[in-house]
Amino acid sequence: MKRRSLTRLVVAAAATTGLVLSGCNATEQPSGGSKGSINVLTMDIAQMQDLKRLTKRHFTAETGITVNYTLLPENQSRAKAAREFASQAGHYDVAIVGSYEVPIYSKNGWLAPLNSYVKADKSFDQDDMFPNLMASLTGTDGKIYAEPFYGEGSFLMYRKDLFRKVGLTMPQNPTWDQVASLAAKVDGTSGAAGICLRGMSGWGQNLAPLNSVINTFGGAWYDMKWNAQLTSPAFKEAVQFYVDLVRTYGQPDAYRSGVLEALETFVAGKCAMMYDATALASSVEADGSAIKGKVGYVAAPHDKTEKAGWLWTWAWAIQTASKNKDAAWEFISWASSKEYQELVGTELGWNAAPAGSRKSLYANPDYQNAAAAWYRHEHMAATNSADPRNPGVSPRPYTGVQYVGIPEFADLGTKVSQEISWAIAGRQSVDAALQKSQELAQAAAEKYRTN
């Protein structure tokens, strides 16, 4: 991977000559500081474990930069990143952040802009990234603040073998009513639950799929005057539908299932369907999966909208307080590169390549052949997901498909998700959960409200 050495020379030259790159201010300049080691905070998921496993033999061997990883469960990783970036403690040079965080963190000055690095690093090929993902990683000042590791939409996965056994056919563009009907008919076949859905609390856990249901059922968190709408008929119908579906036909103890727990259940062959992120397909089709080759993939279910699902990216960002920005960029440039995707494909199998971020991966015949089972639907989700500005049928004052794009949502969404999780657990009714959630949402948006 000779590009790494070339990158270092370009970046170092820009730093040592004091080159001022067009459109960049002094705080953006590569600093030319120590390249000895960096600290990286991210989630403990399969793609990150692969990254960690490959780093020493490839990135460190080529650059001499040691990468110290902290891998945590998603909820913990998000919370720790929020504390770290807000305090600007500088303990972590790089952290994985999502579409929700980048606009907020960049506005607060917590992230280092990357434009000068991108311009100096010609081999990185910024134009190869999907524009819809980069729009969510660009600040209001027009600068790039993070680079995608992978992107994802959502789709419905189903067991073709179980559907054949019961004599069922999955529509290519199913409605949620059709999904519920299919779940009822296939539930219990070969000991499998009808459907796996996230039930665990966390704004990035059960609210991720549930918000896409709310959108397509015609609901929204707020009206255009920032009045909370969580007890509106459409919002209530969507939540009641989701809770009933997972309680009646979902996996046991669904309220304890986040994305990884639901995936483990599905991969073990204990669910007939699963609605979740497109990024999970690589795990479903991985060696060792009990259902490898047995799964079909169709578009995210919809109701009142023509399409549904979500759009998300996990991306690398540099903390403003980092003293190792040059080394941090080298890591990002490698971890988000075409070469890294090819490295994963060659060494670990193309099913494991982090997808949804670069157009070139979808043009690669090796990836197309390996991902044939889900390629078309994954690519469609990456390029044609629900519009974050208008994902439903009613106007709304915020952006976001599976989240509300305001700083208060991290806390609000976590609290509301707990109320929903308790409803899934049977500890309270959906009406009770939404009444409490309505009050929380109304209070959270007080400063935005207009008369």
Side-chain angles (χ1 to χ4, degrees):
M1 297 180 69
K2 295 180 180 179
R3 69 183 297 278
R4 309 274 12 110
S5 299
L6 293 173
T7 298
R8 293 210 309 279
L9 290 173
V10 171
V11 172
T16 55
T17 61
L19 177 64
V20 179
L21 300 174
S22 175
C24 303
N25 59 40
T27 62
E28 293 180 80
Q29 300 308 315
S31 65
S34 170
K35 295 177 182 287
S37 67
I38 59 170
N39 297 325
V40 174
L41 172 63
T42 187
M43 303 171 297
D44 190 7
I45 57 175
Q47 291 92 335
M48 300 303 179
Q49 293 164 2
D50 291 342
L51 177 69
K52 182 179 180 180
R53 187 159 63 249
L54 293 169
T55 296
K56 185 175 181 180
R57 285 190 293 113
H58 296 278
F59 177 72
T60 300
E62 175 65 29
T63 65
I65 300 168
T66 300
V67 181
N68 305 309
Y69 286 99
T70 298
L71 274 65
L72 297 172
E74 181 178 322
N75 282 351
Q76 294 179 33
S77 175
R78 270 183 157 145
K80 191 174 185 68
R83 293 193 299 270
E84 172 73 15
F85 280 82
S87 68
Q88 288 295 294
H91 297 141
Y92 291 96
D93 302 289
V94 177
I96 201 79
V97 292
S99 305
Y100 166 73
E101 288 91 354
V102 170
I104 297 168
Y105 289 9
S106 62
K107 186 176 181 179
N108 290 339
W110 299 347
L111 307 180
L114 304 179
N115 294 64
S116 59
Y117 289 107
V118 168
K119 187 168 185 177
D121 191 350
K122 300 298 184 184
S123 61
F124 183 68
D125 193 3
Q126 184 69 62
D127 291 339
D128 188 44
M129 296 293 187
F130 281 116
N132 53 353
L133 296 188
M134 291 313 305
S136 68
L137 303 179
T138 302
T140 55
D141 57 4
K143 296 175 182 176
I144 298 169
Y145 284 94
E147 293 290 352
F149 180 60
Y150 68 83
E152 63 183 31
S154 58
F155 55 17
L156 182 67
M157 301 170 275
Y158 71 100
R159 289 279 301 280
K160 294 184 292 185
D161 56 330
L162 297 186
F163 270 55
R164 282 194 299 266
K165 187 173 184 178
V166 184
L168 299 176
T169 300
M170 173 64 75
Q172 287 299 304
N173 191 28
T175 66
W176 274 112
D177 283 344
Q178 289 173 324
V179 170
S181 177
L182 291 168
K185 293 173 182 175
V186 77
D187 185 57
T189 303
S190 299
I195 189 167
C196 273
L197 293 168
R198 302 187 198 184
M200 179 186 289
S201 63
W203 71 264
Q205 290 288 359
N206 61 27
L207 283 190
L210 177 54
N211 269 326
S212 71
V213 179
I214 291 167
N215 290 330
T216 194
F217 272 57
W221 282 66
Y222 296 98
D223 66 16
M224 291 302 290
K225 293 185 177 180
W226 287 99
N227 296 304
Q229 300 294 298
L230 279 67
T231 53
S232 67
F235 202 104
K236 179 183 174 182
E237 180 187 7
V239 176
Q240 188 71 63
F241 174 87
Y242 189 92
V243 171
D244 288 347
L245 182 60
V246 72
R247 279 180 57 80
T248 307
Y249 304 116
Q251 70 274 26
D253 295 328
Y255 70 97
R256 295 178 178 173
S257 293
V259 56
L260 295 183
E261 291 80 10
L263 175 63
E264 181 179 2
T265 304
F266 186 59
V267 167
K270 298 178 181 179
C271 282
M273 293 184 286
M274 182 175 178
Y275 169 60
D276 214 291
T278 55
L280 303 186
S282 59
S283 296
V284 171
E285 302 293 345
D287 292 339
S289 167
I291 57 175
K292 180 180 179 181
K294 300 177 181 179
V295 178
Y297 304 84
V298 295
H302 64 99
D303 187 70
K304 293 181 175 64
T305 57
E306 293 183 1
K307 57 185 179 181
W310 69 71
L311 176 67
W312 183 260
T313 178
W314 285 112
W316 302 112
I318 301 175
Q319 183 176 181
T320 300
S322 169
K323 293 180 169 52
N324 303 299
K325 291 186 177 67
D326 290 357
W329 169 254
E330 286 208 54
F331 169 78
I332 292 174
S333 179
W334 174 70
S336 291
S337 67
K338 298 176 188 177
E339 289 85 351
Y340 177 75
Q341 292 178 340
E342 292 170 1
L343 174 65
V344 174
T346 301
E347 291 207 6
L348 305 180
W350 285 99
N351 284 344
S357 59
R358 287 188 172 273
K359 292 175 278 189
S360 57
L361 182 65
Y362 294 92
N364 188 317
D366 292 330
Y367 183 74
Q368 291 180 16
N369 292 334
W374 73 88
Y375 164 80
R376 184 173 67 85
H377 295 288
E378 182 188 66
H379 184 260
M380 179 179 68
T383 58
N384 193 34
S385 294
D387 184 352
R389 296 162 297 181
N390 186 29
V393 299
S394 58
R396 59 202 66 208
Y398 57 87
T399 59
V401 180
Q402 69 274 38
Y403 58 87
V404 178
I406 57 174
E408 293 80 6
F409 185 71
D411 179 62
L412 168 63
T414 298
K415 291 176 178 176
V416 170
S417 73
Q418 184 62 72
E419 299 296 335
I420 302 299
S421 187
W422 282 335
I424 292 172
R427 299 179 186 176
Q428 65 179 348
S429 67
V430 168
D431 280 343
L434 292 182
Q435 188 57 54
K436 296 173 188 175
S437 299
Q438 168 77 6
E439 295 171 3
L440 292 168
Q442 189 73 358
E446 182 66 36
K447 71 178 183 181
Y448 303 105
R449 197 163 297 120
T450 59
N451 296 322

